C-alpha cells in the first residue's frame, strides 16, 4: 500500500471556529493530519509517499474557473481591504434574494462562494487545498498505474465543496477531482462511497446529473445534522443521472447493527453498478466519541467496514475526509485499511 501526503497541507491554520454560538478552537486542525500521518507510518512502514504536483486543469475539470480564481486571490483581497483576521463569510443570499449576483467587494464575494459560517479562508488555505487535491490525484494516478488500492491523506477535506463554493472545512472536492482523473484516464464508471458522518453535499452536486459517477453516501440524517439542506433519501439524481445518486441517512445513535446494514445495502448497489474503480470518502467522524458526531462505531467496526469494502474486489482509493477525535483518528483509519488489506489477502 502507498499512502500519499503533502506537508503543505499543514499550513492552513484557521484561528477560530464559530460553533454552538461560541468561538471555539477549530475542530479541523493540522494536528489531526500530523497524528494520522504518524499512525500510518507506524502501522505501514515505508508506505508514505510525497504527493506529486499536477496541472490546475484537473481542478478546473470539477470546479468553476471563477471559483478557483476566487480561492487564489480571496485572502489577499481581504487583507488589501484592511482586515487582519481570517476571511469569514457573513451574509448569504437566501430565498428570493439575488443569489446570482457576484458583488465586487471581498465580503460580498466570499458570501457568494460559501455556504456556512464555520469555515474561513486563511493565509495558506489555497496552497493547502491545492496540495490536498494533488494528494488525492496522486492516489488516483497510483490506481491508473495498476495498483489495487491507495490511501490519500487529504487535508483540508473535500466532500462539502461544490463546483463553486466552499464550506464544512472543504475548499476543493478531492474525491470528485480524483474520480474525474480516473475517467480521463479511461475508466468508464466510477463509484464514490462516502462514509463520512456528514452528507457530502458537494460531491452529490457535482455528479448529480451524471451516470458515469455513482455517488453513494451513508450519513447522519440532515434533518438533525450538518449540512441540513441536502442528503435526504429522495435525492436520487437528475436527467441522465437519475438513479445514480443514493443517500442512506441514519438516525443519531446508529451503531454497527444499523450502520453495517446500511453499508451492505450501499455496497450491493455499487456491486450492481460494476464500477471500474471505487473511491471511498473516508471520514472517521462516525466514531463513538467524535466531538461532532452521533454515531457509535468502534475500532473493530472500522475493520469490518474495510473488509466489507474489500469484498467488492474493485480498485479502491481511500480519500481522507472528516474525523475530529484526534486521539482516535489514526487508529480508526489504520483499522479500516487493515480490514481492507486482510480481506484482500484472504481472497485469491
Ligand atoms: C469534512 C467534515 O466532516 N466536515 C464537517 C463540518 C461540520 N461543521 C459544523 C458542524 C456543527 C456541529 N455542531 C457541534 C455539535 C457538538 N456536540
Ligand atoms: Zn464529516
Amino acid at each position: 500500500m502507498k499512502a500519499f501526503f503533502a506537508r503543505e497541507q499543514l499550513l492552513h491554520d484557521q484561528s477560530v471556529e464559530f460553533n454552538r454560538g461560541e468561538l471555539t478552537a477549530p475542530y479541523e486542525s493540522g494536528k489531526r493530519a500530523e497524528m494520522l500521518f504518524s499512525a500510518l507510518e507506524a502501522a505501514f512502514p515505508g508506505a508514505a509517499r510525497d504527493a506529486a504536483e499536477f496541472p490546475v486543469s484537473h481542478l478546473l475539470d470539477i470546479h468553476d474557473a471563477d471559483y478557483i480564481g476566487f480561492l487564489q486571490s480571496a485572502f489577499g483581497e481581504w487583507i488589501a481591504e484592511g482586515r487582519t483576521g481570517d476571511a469569514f463569510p457573513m451574509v448569504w443570499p437566501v430565498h428570493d434574494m439575488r443569489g446570482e449576483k457576484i458583488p465586487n467587494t471581498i465580503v460580498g464575494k466570499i458570501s457568494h462562494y460559501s455556504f456556512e459560517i464555520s469555515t474561513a479562508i486563511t493565509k495558506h488555505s489555497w496552497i493547502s487545498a491545492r496540495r490536498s487535491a494533488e494528494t488525492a490525484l496522486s492516489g488516483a494516478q497510483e490506481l491508473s498505474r495498476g495498483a489495487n488500492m491507495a490511501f490519500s491523506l487529504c487535508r483540508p477535506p473535500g466532500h462539502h465543496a461544490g463546483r463553486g463554493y466552499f464550506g464544512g472545512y472543504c475548499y476543493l472536492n478531492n474525491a470528485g477531482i480524483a474520480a474525474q482523473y480516473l475517467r480521463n484516464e479511461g475508466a468508464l464508471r466510477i463509484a464514490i462511497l462516502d462514509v463520512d458522518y456528514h452528507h457530502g453535499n458537494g460531491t452529490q452536486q457535482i455528479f448529480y446529473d451524471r451516470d458515469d459517477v455513482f455517488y453513494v453516501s451513508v450519513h447522519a440524517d440532515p434533518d438533525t445534522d450538518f449540512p441540513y439542506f441536502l442528503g435526504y433519501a429522495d435525492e436520487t439524481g437528475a436527467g441522465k443521472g437519475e438513479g445514480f445518486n443514493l443517500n442512506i441517512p441514519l438516525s443519531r445513535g446508529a451503531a454497527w447493527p444499523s450502520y453495517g446494514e446500511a453499508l451492505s445495502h450501499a455496497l450491493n448497489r455499487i456491486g450492481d453498478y460494476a464500477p471500474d474503480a471505487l473511491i471511498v470518502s473516508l471520514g472517521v467522524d462516525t466514531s463513538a466519541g467524535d466531538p461532532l458526531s452521533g454515531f457509535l462505531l468502534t475500532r473493530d467496526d472500522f475493520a469490518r467496514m474495510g473488509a466489507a469494502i474489500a469484498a467488492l474486489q474493485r480498485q479502491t482509493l481511500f480519500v481522507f475526509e472528516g474525523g475530529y477525535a484526534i486521539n482516535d483518528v489514526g487508529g480508526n483509519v489504520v483499522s479500516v485499511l487493515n480490514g481492507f488489506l486482510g480481506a484482500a489477502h484472504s481472497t485469491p
Side-chain angles (χ1 to χ4, degrees), residues 70 102 105 112 118 134 144 161 169 178 196 233 254 284 291 315 326:
F70 161 80
I102 306 180
T105 53
H112 177 84
S118 73
E134 289 175 342
S144 74
Y169 317 147
D196 188 278
V284 292
Q315 281 191 304
I326 62 168

Side-chain angles (χ1 to χ4, degrees), residues 159-160 196-198 285 322 324:
H159 74 152
H160 295 300
D196 188 278
Y197 177 74
H198 305 96
D285 41 6
Y324 308 99

